[in-house]
Every structure is written in structure tokens, then in C-alpha cells.
Amino acid sequence: MSSNKLGLDPALVHRARALAAKAGRPVVDMARSHTTVSVERAVLRLAGVTGADPDGIPWVNRLVDAVRNDVGLGHGVALPVFHALAEHGLDPTAAELTLLAQKAAAGSVRFDLPTGKAVTAAKKASRRQVAAGIKQIDRNRADRDRMIKRYGDPKQRPWIYLIVATGDIYEDIPQAQAAARAGADVIAVIRSTGQSLLDYVPEGATREGFAGTYATQENFRLMRAALDESSKELGRYVRLTNYASGLCMPEIATLAGLQRLDMMLNDSMYGILFRDINPIRTFVDQRFSRQIHARAGIIINTGEDNYLTTADAVEAAHTVTVSQLLNEYFAHEAGLADWQLGLGHAFEINPELPESFRLELAHALLARELFPEAPLKWMPPTKHMTGDVFRGNLLDGFFNLVGALTGQGILLVGMMTEAVVTPWLSDRDIALQNVRYVLGAAGNLHEDFVPAPDGFIQRRAHQVLDEAIDLLEKIEDDTLLNAIADGTFGIMKRPAHRGKGLDGVAKHDDGYYNPATEILEAPAKEEQQ
């Protein structure tokens, strides 16, 4: 969807990307030289370890904790775990790995680092077992492609994205299916409040979430199966979204790949800024999670819209652009393609501000033209909703119109009761009517909409890009971690040495081994051999 309606200077756009790469490269280098408890637990999940102890603590947690207590995580868990299997006469299978976890939790197994030929044997066994999990992700991606070919994609863009959030997976399912019948193309099951701060993934189907439903492998499986039924009924593939963020980002990404989810909320800085998760932990976790998403063919949704709920949407517009450029760089480095980059932005300017709609158009069109191949995720107004449902519905209509005018890829349905009460089903129906009317009436209006040369919209877009470049230059000089610590994004100050989860980070020792990253980073020809 390439165009240049804003008259952007290609040299400036190239400079912005180059600066984002320079700012992001030290963070990538850091991520490549560290691991976390969640990365290592994700490796065990790929190897097939499932289930939890009687207290609900997953066996992957028990196993990683035991390894960390005995030998640390600097070499990864694969070598000590698969060496222990051999030492105790157990086979390198999912069932025997779970048995080993149970023994470790009971204190009857101690872990050591293998030496000599035992290192080669542990590497070979762990790679074979983890490869089986990655092959399941590959099969799921192929299944998705076949289903899209059979049932088809939605006829219109942007895709209509709607949230379900009851707390009970068995209540979510009929609501999600009803939403799909009413026109939703993407169903997002919002997570239970606070799950991002749990350093474990709950097990099984859950019915007691708060303002959302727990992200678990079984809940993923149940909802995916239900939406497959809806896809068959409706004759279009209905996509499923959840949240790969927080302290268990790599594991949730892995479970999403294993259960064929289609989109995941996965922002490089959201957990740092809005959940006070340690920056180093987050950047290490997000790189592995994005490698999984790349392999699974999952579209990520980034969280730049959240900045505008804490910072002013006009004054901080350039920070959204900077974050989008950084998210793009981190995503590409991890293997994601442009079609998988649901970069976020939002309709959050105070409606009382003169020319607010023109400003929103400028910001949305700038994002569209900077990332022409990305399925941008356009977020509705929330910050300035007042409880006046008529005004709120009108604001949502203007938001939907901007989505049509600027050719957005994914449009989250705004609710007139947003930020006032949990929306009723009838609120959702009215909101979907609003979306359907605007998209039906406006059609491909983005083909006709061209801002006046050197007019208000063009000048505003150029200003935001210039400010973004200025900020990227400062970040390059002072490092991204320092910029985050200084409150550059969303006015949240998050130092690199503080925040939740730092104790779960480990620097690689010589000889660190992770069979999952070895497979995910292998050239295609090598992988086939």
C-alpha cells in the first residue's frame, strides 16, 4: 500500500530507520547475551513439559528453579536437564521430562553440567525434543494457511477487532462466537487483571478471572476450536488474539504457537512502562517471543496507543513514531516480516482542541506512510470519554472514519461506554453497527483522500517526523535504556537496574546452549538437513 500523500522526504525516512537501528542494536546485543527464567521455561514447554503440581505451580517452573538452584542458568536448562535424564536412565520424552520435574521438586534429583561427550549427547537429545514442539508450530501455521484458503479472509480492510472479557472461558466462547456473527474479524480475549505480573502461566481452563480471562494453554485451545467452528459457519477465517506480555512473555508466545493463535499483543516496552517490569528482563524476553511469533506466522500488536493515555497525544506524538520505528527494528531483527507488524497508534487527542480531527488524520496517515506494508492497529478514543454515550458514539464514528480515510489494517472497535463501565452486549452491538456503517459508507475512501500540498495535515506530519528524528538522535547518544529511565515514553521513568523480574535474568556463560534459538535462527537449508 505504498504512496506518498504527505510528501515525506525519503532521505529523512531512511535516516529515521537508521537511527532506530543504531538505538536498538545495543539492546539486541544485550538480549542475545542473556537469558531469563521464562525463556528457559519456554524451551521446556517446546520440549513438551506440561502440567502443574498440587499447588498449581507449573512443572516447568519447578524444573527451572531446581536447575537454577543447583548450577545457575548461565548455561541454559537444556544441558543440565537432558544430562540428568540420561544419568537417571530416563528417556528424552515429554512424559519423562515431567517425571524429572516431579523428582526435582521432591528433592530427589540434583543437576550438574555435563562434560566431554555428555555435552554432545545432551545437545542432541534436547534439540530433537524441542524440534518436535517447533514442528507442531509449523503444522499449525500450515493449517492456518489452509483454512484461510478454504474459508477466505474478510472482504474489507481494516479488519474489525473486538474484545471479549468475562473472566470465564466458557462464557467467553459464546460471546466470541456471537461477536463473529455480528461482524468481528478478530476476537481478542483480554487477560485477567494482574496476570502480566505472575511469573508462571496458570494451568487448565479457568473461570475466575478479573476483568479478563487467564491466558492458559487450555483456554487458548478451547477458544481456537470454537472460532474454527465459527469460521466454518461464516465462511471467513476468524482470527484469535491474546497477550504475550509481562513476566511470561516467551512462554505465552510459545503456547500461542502451539495452539494456533493468529495475533498477540507484544510490545517491546509496554511491560516496562506500564507494569514496572525490569527493562533488561523485558527486552530479553521479547526477542525470544518474537522469534516464536515469526516462526508461527503470528501478527504482533504493539502498544504505542498506551503512551497517549498518560502523555499528551499532541505533545508526545513523536514518541509514538519513535516507538513504532524501534518496534519495527526489534521485530525485523527477530525474524518478523512486515505483514506481521501490527504497529499501534491511537485516536486520543482531546476533542475540545481546535482542529483535533485534522491532527488525528495527520498522525494516522504518517504511520500509514512510514509503514506501508504493515497491518497497522488503530485504537479508539478512551482517555477523553466522559460517560456521555451519545458523544462517545460520535467520537467512535470519527475514529472509524479516520481508519477508513487512512487505510488502517486492524481497527479495534470503540465502545461508547469505554472507561465508564464494562460494556454491555448491547453496547457492543451498537459499536459494531457504527463500524459497519462507516466502513460500508466510506468504502475505499482512502483512495480519494489526498491532503492539500503544504497544507495543515502535511505540515503536521512533517513536524512529527522531524521531532521523532531529533529524539532518536538523543537516544542514540544517551542509549535507549537511559531514555526509558528518563521517562521519554509515556512519562514513565523506569531505570534498568530496577523493576520486577530482574532476579530472573542471567548472563550467558561460555557454553550456553538453547536448542530453540539454535533452530529458530538456523538458515532454512541447514534446518532441512
Side-chain angles (χ1 to χ4, degrees):
M1 187 178 171
S2 182
S3 68
N4 195 0
K5 297 181 180 183
L6 292 172
L8 299 177
D9 181 349
L12 278 180
V13 174
H14 177 77
R15 175 157 177 73
R17 280 198 163 83
L19 286 168
K22 288 181 180 178
R25 196 167 295 123
V27 171
V28 169
D29 291 342
M30 178 189 68
R32 293 177 70 95
S33 62
H34 289 75
T35 188
T36 74
V37 288
S38 188
V39 168
E40 301 302 327
R41 295 192 300 248
V43 172
L44 295 175
R45 289 185 181 278
L46 286 168
V49 180
T50 59
D53 69 12
D55 294 325
I57 303 301
W59 290 122
V60 291
N61 285 64
R62 292 296 197 190
L63 196 45
V64 169
D65 289 348
V67 171
R68 180 166 62 161
N69 289 337
D70 288 348
V71 296
L73 293 182
H75 287 80
V77 296
L79 294 180
V81 164
F82 281 82
H83 177 58
L85 285 174
E87 290 289 291
H88 287 80
L90 300 174
D91 295 325
T93 64
E96 301 282 66
L97 281 165
T98 302
L99 177 60
L100 183 71
Q102 293 167 351
K103 288 177 176 292
S108 60
V109 172
R110 285 194 60 81
F111 293 93
D112 297 300
L113 293 172
T115 59
K117 292 182 179 179
V119 175
T120 303
K123 283 185 176 181
K124 185 176 180 180
S126 65
R127 177 163 174 144
R128 184 186 303 115
Q129 189 62 24
V130 168
I134 293 176
K135 285 179 182 176
Q136 179 59 49
I137 290 174
D138 293 342
R139 285 192 291 272
N140 287 343
R141 180 170 182 167
D143 286 346
R144 181 194 299 115
D145 291 342
R146 281 193 292 271
M147 293 185 74
I148 292 172
K149 187 174 181 179
R150 182 187 309 161
Y151 300 130
D153 267 328
K155 294 179 181 178
Q156 94 293 323
R157 291 298 289 266
W159 291 335
I160 299 171
Y161 176 116
L162 193 137
I163 289 172
V164 172
T166 71
D168 181 343
I169 187 61
Y170 294 106
E171 179 62 24
D172 285 348
I173 286 171
Q175 289 206 17
Q177 292 180 314
R181 292 188 195 100
D185 305 310
V186 183
I187 301 295
V189 181
I190 198 169
R191 278 192 312 192
S192 179
T193 298
Q195 186 178 351
S196 62
L197 299 182
L198 296 180
D199 214 344
Y200 67 95
V201 180
E203 190 75 17
T206 63
R207 311 197 68 170
E208 69 287 337
F210 301 94
T213 303
Y214 284 100
T216 75
Q217 184 168 9
E218 179 63 6
N219 285 349
F220 287 178
R221 187 191 69 80
L222 290 168
M223 184 60 80
R224 180 66 272 169
L227 293 183
D228 283 350
E229 292 177 7
S230 297
S231 299
K232 182 177 181 180
E233 172 194 336
L234 299 170
R236 57 181 168 83
Y237 184 68
V238 181
R239 285 171 168 81
L240 175 58
T241 300
N242 212 285
Y243 292 66
S245 60
L247 290 170
C248 294
M249 192 188 305
E251 294 171 86
I252 294 177
T254 297
L255 297 177
L258 291 171
Q259 298 300 327
R260 190 168 40 84
L261 272 67
D262 308 287
M263 293 185 187
M264 295 298 282
L265 278 289
N266 184 256
D267 184 76
S268 61
M269 293 188 284
Y270 173 83
I272 301 169
L273 302 176
F274 298 98
R275 294 293 180 266
D276 194 21
I277 296 173
N278 175 260
I280 298 171
R281 170 75 178 263
T282 298
F283 283 122
V284 176
D285 282 349
Q286 68 95 24
R287 182 173 187 270
F288 184 91
S289 69
R290 290 183 176 192
Q291 289 181 310
I292 294 289
H293 291 328
R295 184 67 173 236
I298 287 172
I299 294 171
I300 66 168
N301 296 160
T302 61
E304 285 82 4
D305 56 284
N306 292 283
Y307 304 170
L308 305 184
T309 62
T310 53
D312 182 81
V314 177
E315 292 178 1
H318 64 293
T319 68
V320 169
T321 302
V322 167
S323 180
Q324 290 168 338
L325 289 162
L326 289 168
N327 260 312
E328 179 191 53
Y329 169 72
F330 291 136
H332 284 166
E333 190 280 329
L336 288 158
D338 283 338
W339 66 267
Q340 293 175 280
L341 306 187
L343 300 172
H345 55 142
F347 189 94
E348 290 286 18
I349 297 173
N350 187 342
E352 303 300 325
L353 187 71
E355 310 291 358
S356 62
F357 185 74
R358 296 170 85 190
L359 289 166
E360 297 283 14
L361 273 174
H363 297 175
L365 192 56
L366 175 62
R368 178 71 283 167
E369 299 217 338
L370 285 176
F371 309 98
E373 305 303 323
L376 301 181
K377 184 184 176 190
W378 183 225
M379 299 288 285
T382 58
K383 184 176 181 179
H384 299 287
M385 290 297 219
T386 63
D388 180 339
V389 294
F390 301 104
R391 176 181 181 272
N393 199 36
L394 180 61
L395 276 179
D396 285 334
F398 273 55
F399 156 75
N400 295 332
L401 181 58
V402 171
L405 278 169
T406 59
Q408 301 298 313
I410 304 163
L411 189 145
L412 195 149
V413 175
M415 301 286 174
M416 71 292 292
T417 47
E418 183 76 48
V420 181
V421 297
T422 300
W424 299 97
L425 296 184
S426 55
D427 300 341
R428 186 184 69 195
D429 291 341
I430 292 170
L432 282 167
Q433 287 177 17
N434 187 324
V435 174
R436 287 197 303 269
Y437 168 71
V438 173
L439 295 187
N444 293 319
L445 189 57
H446 63 88
E447 296 177 359
D448 305 313
F449 170 60
V450 181
D454 198 33
F456 180 94
I457 289 172
Q458 280 201 2
R459 291 196 307 273
R460 175 58 184 169
H462 289 199
Q463 178 189 353
V464 173
L465 180 58
D466 289 343
E467 291 175 354
I469 289 172
D470 289 343
L471 178 55
L472 282 165
E473 289 172 343
K474 293 175 183 175
I475 292 173
E476 183 197 359
D477 291 339
D478 194 36
T479 77
L480 179 55
L481 289 179
N482 283 340
I484 294 170
D486 292 339
T488 300
F489 302 97
I491 63 174
M492 299 292 186
K493 296 183 178 182
R494 304 300 190 198
H497 62 282
R498 296 179 58 185
K500 303 173 182 70
L502 178 59
D503 60 342
V505 179
K507 196 174 191 319
H508 290 177
D509 291 329
D510 291 340
Y512 172 81
Y513 182 67
N514 184 327
T517 53
E518 186 176 76
I519 295 168
L520 294 169
E521 294 178 1
K525 288 184 180 179
E526 177 188 330
E527 190 182 319
Q528 293 167 3
Q529 291 176 355

